[in-house]
Amino acid sequence: NMMEVNESRIAVAILEQPVDWSGDLVDVVFLLAVKMTSNYEIRRTKQFYKDFLLLTESSENMDTIKRFDSAFSIYQYFIR
C-alpha cells in the first residue's frame, strides 16, 4: 500500500539457491516501496519503472548485479 510508504526505497536480495516462482527459477528479488502522493512523484516513479525494467530485463545486467558484494556497489550500478 503506497499510502503506508514514508520514503521510497529498493531492497535487493540475491539468493544462494534459486526458488521456483510460478515455474521460473528466481535468484534475484527486488522489493520496491514507492511513495506516489504528488504528480511529481507519480511521474518520477513511472520513469524509474521504465529504467528499472530496461536494466533488469538484460541477463548480462542481472549477472553483473549478482557479482556485487555490497549494497553500495549495487546502488552505484543502478545510478550510473
Side-chain angles (χ1 to χ4, degrees):
N1 182 350
M2 76 177 112
M3 298 307 293
E4 302 298 326
V5 176
N6 294 324
E7 193 172 343
S8 295
R9 293 282 187 236
I10 301 171
V12 180
I14 300 172
L15 309 177
E16 289 183 17
Q17 297 295 321
V19 295
D20 185 323
W21 188 282
S22 299
D24 291 323
L25 290 179
V26 174
D27 59 358
V28 179
V29 179
F30 295 94
L31 173 62
L32 309 174
V34 294
K35 182 176 182 170
M36 295 190 300
T37 56
S38 70
N39 285 333
Y40 170 73
E41 287 171 338
I42 291 169
R43 284 192 313 275
R44 191 175 85 176
T45 300
K46 285 181 180 180
Q47 185 60 52
F48 166 79
Y49 276 126
K50 289 177 187 176
D51 295 342
F52 179 77
L53 290 174
L54 287 174
L55 178 70
T56 57
E57 70 184 5
S58 161
S59 59
E60 182 179 306
N61 286 341
M62 294 307 295
D63 288 342
T64 299
I65 290 169
K66 291 178 209 176
R67 287 193 299 269
F68 289 126
D69 60 357
S70 72
F72 186 69
S73 297
I74 294 172
Y75 169 74
Q76 287 179 314
Y77 185 73
F78 277 136
I79 63 170
R80 70 165 173 84

